[in-house]
Protein backbone atom coordinates (compact mmCIF):
# COMPACT_ATOMS: atom_id res chain seq x y z
CA UNK A 1 0.00 0.00 0.00
CA UNK A 2 0.86 3.67 0.02
CA UNK A 3 2.68 5.19 2.98
CA UNK A 4 4.69 8.24 4.02
CA UNK A 5 7.41 8.28 6.67
CA UNK A 6 8.60 11.51 8.23
CA UNK A 7 11.30 12.21 10.77
CA UNK A 8 9.93 12.44 14.27
CA UNK A 9 9.88 15.73 16.06
CA UNK A 10 9.93 18.08 17.60
CA UNK A 11 12.68 19.74 15.63
CA UNK A 12 14.04 22.63 17.69
CA UNK A 13 16.08 25.33 15.94
CA UNK A 14 17.29 28.83 16.56
CA UNK A 15 16.21 31.60 14.23
CA UNK A 16 18.22 31.74 10.95
CA UNK A 17 19.27 28.08 11.23
CA UNK A 18 19.05 25.68 8.28
CA UNK A 19 16.09 23.32 8.26
CA UNK A 20 15.73 19.83 6.83
CA UNK A 21 12.72 17.61 7.49
CA UNK A 22 13.10 14.18 5.93
CA UNK A 23 10.26 12.46 4.10
CA UNK A 24 10.28 9.13 2.27
CA UNK A 25 7.38 7.39 0.63
CA UNK A 26 6.14 4.06 -0.66
CA UNK A 27 3.71 4.05 -3.53
CA UNK A 28 2.85 2.27 -6.73
CA UNK A 29 3.13 4.27 -9.91
CA UNK A 30 4.07 7.92 -9.91
CA UNK A 31 2.34 9.84 -7.16
CA UNK A 32 2.28 13.59 -6.71
CA UNK A 33 4.04 14.76 -3.54
CA UNK A 34 3.13 17.55 -1.15
CA UNK A 35 4.09 19.38 1.98
CA UNK A 36 1.24 20.77 4.05
CA UNK A 37 1.68 23.01 7.09
CA UNK A 38 -0.51 23.51 10.14
CA UNK A 39 0.16 26.73 12.04
CA UNK A 40 -1.10 26.93 15.65
CA UNK A 41 -4.85 27.47 15.72
CA UNK A 42 -5.22 27.22 11.94
CA UNK A 43 -6.27 24.60 9.41
CA UNK A 44 -3.91 22.62 7.22
CA UNK A 45 -2.69 24.50 4.18
CA UNK A 46 -0.65 23.54 1.16
CA UNK A 47 2.96 24.69 1.36
CA UNK A 48 4.38 23.25 -1.87
CA UNK A 49 4.00 20.38 -4.29
CA UNK A 50 5.76 18.44 -7.04
CA UNK A 51 3.97 16.29 -9.57
CA UNK A 52 6.78 14.37 -11.29
CA UNK A 53 10.31 13.14 -10.73
CA UNK A 54 13.02 15.83 -10.41
CA UNK A 55 10.43 18.59 -10.00
CA UNK A 56 11.25 21.11 -7.29
CA UNK A 57 8.41 22.67 -5.34
CA UNK A 58 9.04 25.97 -3.59
CA UNK A 59 7.13 28.52 -1.55
CA UNK A 60 7.91 31.02 1.24
CA UNK A 61 11.61 30.09 1.12
CA UNK A 62 10.89 26.37 1.53
CA UNK A 63 11.96 23.87 -1.13
CA UNK A 64 11.59 20.15 -1.77
CA UNK A 65 12.74 18.04 -4.73
CA UNK A 66 10.91 14.91 -5.92
CA UNK A 67 13.59 12.17 -5.91
CA UNK A 68 12.22 9.02 -7.50
CA UNK A 69 15.47 7.04 -7.14
CA UNK A 70 15.46 7.50 -3.36
CA UNK A 71 11.65 7.84 -3.01
CA UNK A 72 12.17 11.00 -1.02
CA UNK A 73 10.79 14.54 -0.80
CA UNK A 74 12.80 16.28 1.91
CA UNK A 75 11.76 19.77 2.99
CA UNK A 76 14.48 22.42 3.33
CA UNK A 77 14.76 26.09 4.23
CA UNK A 78 17.96 28.05 4.41
CA UNK A 79 17.06 30.37 7.28
CA UNK A 80 14.06 29.67 9.50
CA UNK A 81 12.05 32.30 11.35
CA UNK A 82 10.05 32.13 14.55
CA UNK A 83 6.92 32.41 12.42
CA UNK A 84 7.80 29.09 10.75
CA UNK A 85 6.96 27.25 13.98
CA UNK A 86 4.24 24.80 12.97
CA UNK A 87 3.55 21.15 12.23
CA UNK A 88 4.67 20.01 8.77
CA UNK A 89 3.05 17.08 6.96
CA UNK A 90 4.43 15.25 3.96
CA UNK A 91 1.77 13.66 1.75
CA UNK A 92 1.28 11.83 -1.52
CA UNK A 93 -1.57 11.53 -4.00
CA UNK A 94 -1.39 8.14 -5.68
CA UNK A 95 -4.46 8.34 -7.83
CA UNK A 96 -4.81 11.85 -9.16
CA UNK A 97 -8.09 12.24 -7.29
CA UNK A 98 -6.64 14.34 -4.45
CA UNK A 99 -7.06 11.47 -1.98
CA UNK A 100 -3.96 12.12 0.07
CA UNK A 101 -1.91 9.79 2.25
CA UNK A 102 -0.21 11.80 5.00
CA UNK A 103 2.78 11.21 7.22
CA UNK A 104 2.48 11.64 10.97
CA UNK A 105 3.75 15.21 10.91
CA UNK A 106 6.85 16.89 12.27
CA UNK A 107 6.61 19.73 14.74
CA UNK A 108 9.08 22.57 14.20
CA UNK A 109 9.86 24.96 17.04
CA UNK A 110 11.98 28.02 16.24
CA UNK A 111 13.30 30.16 19.06
CA UNK A 112 14.56 33.77 18.76
CA UNK B 1 -14.30 34.64 -0.05
CA UNK B 2 -15.27 32.21 2.68
CA UNK B 3 -13.01 29.24 3.06
CA UNK B 4 -14.06 25.78 4.19
CA UNK B 5 -16.38 25.92 7.17
CA UNK B 6 -17.20 23.05 9.50
CA UNK B 7 -19.69 22.58 12.29
CA UNK B 8 -19.80 21.93 15.12
CA UNK B 9 -16.28 22.77 16.26
CA UNK B 10 -16.44 20.55 19.34
CA UNK B 11 -18.80 17.86 20.51
CA UNK B 12 -18.98 15.12 23.09
CA UNK B 13 -20.85 11.86 22.59
CA UNK B 14 -21.09 8.54 24.40
CA UNK B 15 -20.34 5.10 23.05
CA UNK B 16 -23.05 3.71 20.79
CA UNK B 17 -24.43 7.11 19.82
CA UNK B 18 -24.50 8.57 16.35
CA UNK B 19 -22.99 11.85 15.16
CA UNK B 20 -23.37 14.10 12.11
CA UNK B 21 -20.69 16.59 11.09
CA UNK B 22 -21.20 19.25 8.46
CA UNK B 23 -19.01 20.98 5.93
CA UNK B 24 -19.39 23.83 3.45
CA UNK B 25 -16.69 23.87 0.80
CA UNK B 26 -14.76 26.85 -0.45
CA UNK B 27 -16.64 28.84 -3.06
CA UNK B 28 -16.15 27.36 -6.52
CA UNK B 29 -15.15 23.92 -5.28
CA UNK B 30 -17.16 20.85 -6.23
CA UNK B 31 -15.35 18.05 -4.39
CA UNK B 32 -15.40 17.36 -0.66
CA UNK B 33 -13.14 14.92 1.19
CA UNK B 34 -13.22 13.89 4.83
CA UNK B 35 -10.22 12.98 6.96
CA UNK B 36 -9.81 11.68 10.48
CA UNK B 37 -6.86 12.99 12.49
CA UNK B 38 -6.12 11.22 15.75
CA UNK B 39 -4.00 13.01 18.33
CA UNK B 40 -0.36 13.12 17.25
CA UNK B 41 -1.08 11.51 13.88
CA UNK B 42 -1.48 12.68 10.33
CA UNK B 43 -4.90 12.91 8.71
CA UNK B 44 -6.33 9.64 7.35
CA UNK B 45 -8.57 9.68 4.30
CA UNK B 46 -12.15 8.56 4.97
CA UNK B 47 -13.96 9.24 1.69
CA UNK B 48 -14.51 11.76 -1.07
CA UNK B 49 -17.70 13.06 -2.64
CA UNK B 50 -18.10 14.47 -6.12
CA UNK B 51 -21.37 15.13 -7.96
CA UNK B 52 -23.28 13.88 -4.90
CA UNK B 53 -21.70 10.45 -5.04
CA UNK B 54 -18.96 8.74 -3.07
CA UNK B 55 -16.08 8.59 -5.52
CA UNK B 56 -13.25 7.22 -3.40
CA UNK B 57 -13.16 5.56 0.01
CA UNK B 58 -10.38 4.87 2.44
CA UNK B 59 -10.04 1.99 4.87
CA UNK B 60 -12.92 2.87 7.19
CA UNK B 61 -15.86 0.67 8.22
CA UNK B 62 -19.42 1.13 6.98
CA UNK B 63 -20.26 2.91 10.25
CA UNK B 64 -18.80 5.92 8.50
CA UNK B 65 -21.09 7.28 5.83
CA UNK B 66 -21.60 10.56 4.09
CA UNK B 67 -23.63 12.65 1.79
CA UNK B 68 -23.12 15.54 -0.61
CA UNK B 69 -25.89 17.99 -1.40
CA UNK B 70 -26.60 19.82 -4.68
CA UNK B 71 -24.93 22.97 -3.28
CA UNK B 72 -21.74 20.84 -2.76
CA UNK B 73 -21.94 20.92 1.04
CA UNK B 74 -21.42 17.61 2.77
CA UNK B 75 -22.17 15.62 5.90
CA UNK B 76 -20.20 12.90 7.64
CA UNK B 77 -22.18 10.45 9.75
CA UNK B 78 -20.71 7.99 12.19
CA UNK B 79 -22.94 5.34 13.76
CA UNK B 80 -22.38 3.17 16.84
CA UNK B 81 -19.58 5.37 18.12
CA UNK B 82 -16.53 3.74 19.67
CA UNK B 83 -13.97 5.28 21.99
CA UNK B 84 -11.46 5.01 19.16
CA UNK B 85 -13.55 7.36 17.02
CA UNK B 86 -12.39 10.26 19.19
CA UNK B 87 -10.44 12.49 16.82
CA UNK B 88 -10.38 15.71 14.86
CA UNK B 89 -12.48 15.34 11.70
CA UNK B 90 -11.30 17.47 8.84
CA UNK B 91 -13.19 18.47 5.76
CA UNK B 92 -11.24 19.43 2.66
CA UNK B 93 -12.55 20.87 -0.56
CA UNK B 94 -11.03 20.96 -3.99
CA UNK B 95 -11.86 21.49 -7.62
CA UNK B 96 -11.15 19.05 -10.38
CA UNK B 97 -9.60 21.81 -12.41
CA UNK B 98 -7.91 25.14 -11.79
CA UNK B 99 -8.87 28.47 -13.24
CA UNK B 100 -6.97 27.76 -16.45
CA UNK B 101 -8.58 24.37 -16.83
CA UNK B 102 -5.53 22.47 -15.64
CA UNK B 103 -5.95 19.44 -13.41
CA UNK B 104 -5.60 20.77 -9.88
CA UNK B 105 -4.47 17.56 -8.29
CA UNK B 106 -3.83 17.49 -4.59
CA UNK B 107 -4.42 21.10 -3.60
CA UNK B 108 -6.89 20.68 -0.81
CA UNK B 109 -8.35 23.49 1.25
CA UNK B 110 -9.02 22.35 4.79
CA UNK B 111 -11.43 23.53 7.42
CA UNK B 112 -10.36 23.85 11.03
CA UNK B 113 -12.10 20.64 11.94
CA UNK B 114 -14.69 19.20 14.28
CA UNK B 115 -13.23 17.70 17.43
CA UNK B 116 -15.22 14.66 18.53
CA UNK B 117 -14.79 13.16 21.96
CA UNK B 118 -16.44 9.81 22.67
CA UNK B 119 -16.85 8.88 26.32
Amino acid sequence: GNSVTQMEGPVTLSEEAFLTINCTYTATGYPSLFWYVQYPGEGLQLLLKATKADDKGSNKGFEATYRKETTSFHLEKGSVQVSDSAVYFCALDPSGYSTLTFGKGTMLLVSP
Amino acid sequence: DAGVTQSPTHLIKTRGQQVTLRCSPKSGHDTVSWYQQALGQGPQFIFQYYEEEERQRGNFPDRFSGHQFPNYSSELNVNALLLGDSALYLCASSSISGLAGEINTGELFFGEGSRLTVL
Side-chain angles (χ1 to χ4, degrees):
Chain A
N2 302 309
S3 66
V4 174
T5 303
Q6 292 181 232
M7 62 188 291
E8 294 206 11
V11 174
T12 305
L13 295 173
S14 298
E15 207 165 22
E16 299 184 4
F18 183 85
L19 168 71
T20 299
I21 300 178
N22 291 335
C23 171
T24 57
Y25 68 90
T26 301
T28 53
Y30 303 96
S32 295
L33 301 175
F34 307 86
W35 278 99
Y36 276 77
V37 59
Q38 190 169 36
Y39 297 104
E42 298 184 18
L44 275 164
Q45 55 188 272
L46 178 67
L47 180 61
L48 54 84
K49 69 177 183 181
T51 57
K52 61 183 188 297
D54 300 326
D55 269 3
K56 178 185 283 188
S58 61
N59 186 24
K60 299 182 180 180
F62 291 89
E63 293 183 340
T65 300
Y66 189 140
R67 300 288 187 199
K68 183 170 175 293
E69 63 276 12
T70 54
T71 61
S72 65
F73 193 55
H74 304 320
L75 183 68
E76 296 182 336
K77 186 175 186 183
S79 176
V80 294
Q81 305 300 312
V82 172
S83 58
D84 293 327
S85 297
V87 182
Y88 292 80
F89 293 91
C90 185
L92 65 85
D93 179 7
S95 64
Y97 284 101
S98 300
T99 56
L100 302 188
T101 297
F102 284 87
K104 291 186 177 181
T106 302
M107 180 179 288
L108 170 65
L109 300 171
V110 181
S111 56
Chain B
D1 176 24
V4 179
T5 57
Q6 293 186 242
S7 64
T9 54
H10 295 82
L11 68 167
I12 299 173
K13 294 286 187 177
T14 57
R15 279 178 297 176
Q17 284 190 312
Q18 178 264 343
V19 67
T20 297
L21 308 178
R22 297 175 177 82
C23 172
S24 292
K26 180 178 168 66
S27 177
H29 285 181
D30 54 13
T31 302
V32 174
S33 302
W34 287 92
Y35 288 79
Q36 181 194 67
Q37 186 177 15
L39 200 61
Q41 303 294 314
Q44 275 197 290
F45 173 70
I46 303 174
F47 42 55
Q48 182 184 84
Y49 277 84
Y50 173 69
E51 292 189 338
E52 301 179 50
E53 292 194 356
E54 184 182 290
R55 180 165 68 174
Q56 296 276 316
R57 188 177 183 94
N59 189 25
F60 279 79
D62 292 345
R63 297 187 298 108
F64 289 77
S65 63
H67 189 77
Q68 186 179 34
F69 299 94
N71 66 353
Y72 307 119
S73 67
S74 176
E75 288 182 350
L76 164 65
N77 301 292
V78 186
N79 295 323
L81 284 167
L82 304 174
L83 296 180
D85 295 332
S86 295
L88 181 68
Y89 288 85
L90 298 171
C91 172
S93 73
S94 58
S95 176
I96 193 67
S97 64
L99 292 175
E102 74 279 12
I103 298 299
N104 197 12
T105 304
E107 183 162 7
L108 300 178
F109 288 78
F110 284 85
E112 293 189 29
S114 294
R115 183 164 297 283
L116 171 65
T117 302
V118 182
L119 301 177

